[in-house]
């Protein structure tokens, strides 16, 4: 019944013996007699099915599962007896090493010698030393052995020492976090000039005021990756947020360094000693958070607010102006798809761009920011889709350049368009020339506002297509945060000092 081929494998569960790795073992085929075969199948705890089929010459049981009594050597060769059944398996504790008793493990844990339990006869023969007799009950229930004297007091004292060490380390960690936070803020905000470069805020006083305003809600900020996993409708607790590698104010400074100073994400990861994925997660999270916070501010000024803050030059030439608008474009990466290329290609800039509309009040504050559209859109279509027409009221005036032929659209709202006059004759009349100069001097305010927004250095290079999901938020944040700089002046004096 034994096989010598090197392809023999044992079919007993949890046994991986085979003839190639254990050539010293013998492998026995299942008996041909049906009754004996069923005994073997029952013994190895397997049932014949599609996953286990007994085949002659390929289904074996190795000799490790038989006892010495199952073999005979009457013919001079060791052979399996007829009717022998395998009986040594993992589930009947064959092949397992004896486990130490609870008594021995407890004694070893306390560093005591585990003495063997001696009978009374052995004790008398052991050099005459007297060893107390141990009853059978004590050897059976050795897990109730009492600890040595003073062990509980020593353990309690050790626990108190470890608790004190934990409290000391927690205090040190908190101090290090505070020092790290202060050092990062002082590193980037040592002077007003540094603050203007890294954050575009005009001074530390303005920065601190802005931070104190957003800090309460920012403390409950949840990372964008966590919000995506939970879903838009799920309620997320602040405690469930991703573990923060940086203090909250450092996250805001990191965002400002990326947007205002234009530092690359790899550089920020090295400066703040965090991973590149953490930098990306912080930027996306803060872009969406500030978009929500700043977007909820009522920046559109009422008619009374516009009149009360209107400079004298506007009162002299066009007192009915409510908003000054203009379109601007930012470069974006050239997509590989030809359809997308045609949509984002701007014939004015001769490159692929995103296009948006900005509106400011006569006082210079940004009061309207549209979403970004593809660069191929016209100024008229962008004005219509931006939603600014819904904000204008009867009697309002909108100032723009000559490219905005939106007179009919404004007339439907009861508003009018103020643009430089078109040249209808060989040369301008004196009145048209004065009007053109006056409108140009006033309309330059929106150009300065756009210049302020583009001084955020994130727009120095083409926007990669990977940022298309957050480019609207970043653009809107830059436009609205420019209102925290020095107010624009018609003469341009204060705007020059802010830049």
């Amino acid at each position: 019944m034994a096989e010598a081929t090197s392809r023999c494998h044992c079919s007993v569960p949890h046994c991986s013996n085979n003839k190639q790795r254990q050539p010293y073992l013998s492998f026995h085929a299942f008996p041909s007699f049906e009754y004996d075969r069923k005994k073997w199948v029952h013994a190895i705890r397997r049932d014949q099915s599609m996953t286990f089929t007994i085949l002659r010459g390929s289904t074996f049981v190795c000799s490790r599962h038989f006892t010495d009594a199952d073999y005979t050597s009457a013919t001079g060769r060791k052979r399996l007896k007829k009717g022998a059944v395998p009986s040594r398996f993992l589930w009947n504790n064959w092949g397992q090493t004896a486990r130490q008793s609870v008594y021995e493990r407890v004694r070893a844990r306390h560093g005591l010698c585990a003495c063997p339990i001696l009978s009374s006869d052995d004790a008398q023969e052991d050099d005459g030393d007297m060893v107390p007799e141990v009853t059978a009950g004590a050897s059976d229930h050795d897990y109730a052995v009492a600890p040595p004297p003073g062990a509980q007091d020593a353990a309690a004292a050790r626990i108190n020492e470890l608790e004190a060490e934990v409290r000391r380390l927690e205090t040190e960690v908190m101090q290090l976090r505070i020092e790290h936070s202060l050092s990062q803020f002082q590193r980037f905000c040592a002077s007003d000039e540094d603050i203007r470069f890294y954050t575009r805020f005009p001074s530390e006083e303005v920065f601190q005021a802005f931070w104190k305003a957003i800090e309460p809600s920012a403390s409950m900020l949840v990372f964008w990756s966590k919000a995506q996993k939970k879903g838009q409708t799920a309620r997320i607790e602040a405690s469930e947020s991703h573990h923060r590698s940086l203090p909250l104010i450092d996250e805001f400074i990191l965002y400002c360094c990326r947007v205002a100073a234009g530092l690359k994400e790899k550089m920020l990861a090295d400066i703040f000693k965090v991973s590149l994925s953490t930098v990306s997660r912080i930027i996306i999270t803060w872009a969406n958070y500030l978009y929500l916070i700043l977007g909820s501010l009522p920046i559109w000024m009422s008619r009374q607010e516009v009149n009360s803050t209107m400079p004298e030059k506007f009162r002299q030439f066009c007192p009915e102006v409510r908003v000054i608008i203009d379109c601007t474009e930012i470069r974006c990466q050239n997509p590989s798809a030809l359809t997308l290329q045609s949509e984002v290609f701007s014939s004015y800039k001769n490159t692929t761009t995103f296009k948006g509309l900005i509106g400011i009040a006569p006082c210079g504050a940004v009061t309207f920011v549209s979403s970004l559209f593809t660069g191929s859109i016209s100024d008229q279509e962008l004005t219509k889709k931006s939603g600014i027409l819904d904000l204008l009221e009867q009697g309002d005036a909108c100032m723009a350049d000559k490219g905005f032929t939106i007179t009919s659209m404004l007339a439907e709202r009861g508003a009018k368009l103020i643009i430089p006059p078109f040249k209808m004759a060989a040369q301008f009349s004196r009145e048209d020339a004065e009007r053109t100069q006056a409108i140009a001097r006033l309309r330059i305010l929106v150009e300065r506002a756009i210049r302020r927004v583009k001084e955020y250095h994130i727009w120095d290079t083409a926007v990669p297509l990977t940022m298309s999901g957050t480019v609207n938020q970043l653009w809107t944040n830059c436009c609205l945060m420019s209102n925290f700089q020095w107010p624009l002046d018609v003469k341009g004096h204060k705007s020059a000092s802010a830049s």
Side-chain angles (χ1 to χ4, degrees):
M1 297 175 67
E3 290 287 338
T5 176
S6 61
R7 297 189 179 182
C8 295
H9 295 270
C10 185
S11 58
V12 175
H14 309 294
C15 181
S16 59
N17 293 335
N18 60 71
K19 194 66 177 177
Q20 186 175 7
R21 291 193 300 175
Q22 288 89 7
Y24 49 85
L25 297 179
S26 58
F27 290 80
H28 307 282
F30 280 71
S32 57
F33 187 53
E34 183 69 20
Y35 179 75
D36 292 338
R37 185 188 307 168
K38 288 184 177 179
K39 282 178 148 184
W40 281 39
V41 172
H42 178 74
I44 68 173
R45 295 187 178 181
R46 299 199 67 166
D47 295 324
Q48 294 192 65
S49 62
M50 295 182 63
T51 58
F52 176 68
T53 304
I54 299 174
L55 300 175
R56 188 68 180 174
S58 62
T59 310
F60 306 95
V61 175
C62 71
S63 57
R64 282 190 174 176
H65 302 291
F66 296 91
T67 63
D68 293 337
D70 294 329
Y71 290 92
T72 180
S73 56
T75 60
R77 183 180 178 185
K78 191 175 180 180
R79 298 178 67 85
L80 192 66
K81 290 181 180 179
K82 187 176 182 179
V85 178
S87 58
R88 300 167 65 181
F89 305 104
L90 185 64
W91 51 83
N92 56 20
N93 297 328
W94 169 78
Q96 292 185 348
T97 58
R99 189 184 181 190
Q100 241 183 349
S101 67
V102 178
Y103 175 78
E104 294 171 339
R105 295 199 303 272
V106 171
R107 300 279 294 182
R109 190 181 304 123
H110 291 286
L112 302 176
C113 296
C115 299
I117 300 175
L118 304 177
S119 65
S120 57
D121 296 336
D122 295 334
Q124 293 176 0
E125 296 175 0
D126 189 11
D127 297 333
D129 294 336
M130 297 300 295
V131 179
E133 185 176 355
V134 183
T135 62
S139 62
D140 290 340
H141 303 284
D142 55 0
Y143 52 82
V145 175
Q152 292 182 346
D153 295 338
R158 180 58 177 166
I159 291 173
N160 292 334
E161 291 178 3
L162 293 176
E163 289 178 348
E165 182 70 12
V166 169
R167 288 193 295 269
R168 184 184 66 81
L169 292 175
E170 287 178 347
T171 303
E172 289 183 0
V173 169
M174 185 62 65
Q175 291 177 351
L176 288 174
R177 286 181 176 178
I178 295 174
E179 292 175 0
H180 178 72
S181 174
L182 292 175
S183 63
Q184 291 292 349
F185 180 78
Q186 293 172 352
R187 181 177 183 179
F188 292 99
C189 306
S191 64
D192 288 349
E193 183 180 357
D194 293 336
I195 290 177
R196 284 194 293 272
F197 178 79
Y198 287 110
T199 68
R200 302 306 300 171
F201 286 99
S203 64
E204 183 178 357
E205 181 181 1
V206 178
F207 176 86
Q208 292 290 356
F210 182 85
W211 172 247
K212 289 179 181 178
I214 66 171
E215 185 180 11
S217 58
S219 61
M220 299 183 290
L221 194 60
V222 176
F223 277 129
W224 183 249
S225 56
K226 188 73 173 182
Q228 280 185 317
K229 292 179 182 178
K230 286 287 185 179
Q232 296 180 353
T233 59
R235 183 175 182 271
I236 307 172
E237 300 292 341
S239 60
E240 298 181 12
S241 179
H242 192 279
H243 174 69
R244 296 190 178 278
S245 304
L246 296 173
L248 202 60
I249 190 171
D250 280 1
E251 290 186 5
F252 179 57
I253 293 176
L254 186 150
Y255 170 82
C256 291
C257 289
R258 176 68 184 102
V259 176
L263 302 183
K264 300 299 181 183
E265 293 185 2
K266 181 64 172 67
M267 182 182 298
L268 292 173
D270 295 337
I271 293 174
F272 286 86
K273 295 180 174 59
V274 293
S275 65
L276 194 62
S277 60
T278 300
V279 173
S280 178
R281 184 166 55 243
I282 290 174
I283 292 172
I284 294 175
T285 301
W286 278 87
N288 286 275
Y289 165 72
L290 292 174
Y291 179 77
L292 177 64
I293 295 299
L294 298 176
S296 62
L297 298 177
I299 61 172
W300 182 256
M301 299 175 65
S302 64
R303 180 76 260 178
Q304 291 76 17
E305 292 172 337
V306 171
N307 291 336
S308 62
T309 58
M310 184 177 292
E312 188 61 34
K313 287 186 178 294
F314 279 91
R315 297 182 189 276
Q316 179 180 356
F317 292 100
C318 41
E320 67 277 16
V321 170
R322 181 79 175 271
V323 64
I324 310 170
I325 63 172
D326 197 6
C327 290
T328 186
E329 300 178 59
I330 55 175
R331 290 184 297 124
C332 70
Q333 185 180 0
N334 190 13
S336 57
L338 296 179
T339 304
L340 291 178
Q341 286 184 21
S342 62
E343 289 181 358
V344 296
F345 184 79
S346 171
S347 57
Y348 179 73
K349 294 290 186 179
N350 198 30
T351 185
T352 52
T353 64
F354 292 130
K355 191 173 184 180
L357 184 141
I358 294 180
I360 68 169
C363 63
V366 176
T367 58
F368 182 83
V369 181
S370 74
S371 299
L372 291 176
F373 295 83
T374 54
S376 61
I377 192 171
S378 64
D379 293 347
Q380 295 78 16
E381 187 67 17
L382 177 54
T383 305
K384 182 179 179 180
K385 290 184 175 181
S386 66
I388 192 173
L389 299 177
D390 298 331
L391 300 175
L392 296 174
E393 300 174 356
Q394 186 78 23
D396 288 340
C398 177
M399 182 177 288
D401 63 12
K402 291 182 178 181
F404 285 84
T405 55
I406 55 174
T407 305
S408 59
M409 288 190 289
L410 292 175
E412 294 177 0
R413 302 286 177 176
K416 69 176 183 178
L417 178 66
I418 299 178
I419 60 174
F422 288 94
K423 186 177 180 181
M424 306 301 295
Q427 62 181 9
F428 280 127
S429 63
R430 181 174 181 177
E431 292 78 8
D432 289 342
E434 292 177 353
R435 181 176 176 80
T436 299
Q437 293 176 0
I439 293 175
R441 284 196 299 267
L442 300 177
R443 204 188 63 82
I444 197 64
L445 276 178
V446 71
E447 300 288 349
R448 292 175 181 154
I450 292 173
R451 184 193 67 183
R452 253 186 196 180
V453 176
K454 290 191 173 181
E455 284 176 349
Y456 285 84
H457 293 287
I458 192 174
W459 313 117
D460 290 351
T461 58
V463 177
L465 296 180
T466 54
M467 286 177 53
S468 58
T470 55
V471 65
N472 260 314
Q473 292 88 322
L474 293 169
W475 174 255
T476 304
N477 293 341
C478 292
C479 293
L480 298 182
M481 290 181 70
S482 66
N483 284 337
F484 292 90
Q485 301 182 25
W486 297 110
L488 289 171
D489 183 70
V490 176
K491 295 182 179 179
H493 298 312
K494 291 184 180 179
S495 62
S497 63
S499 60

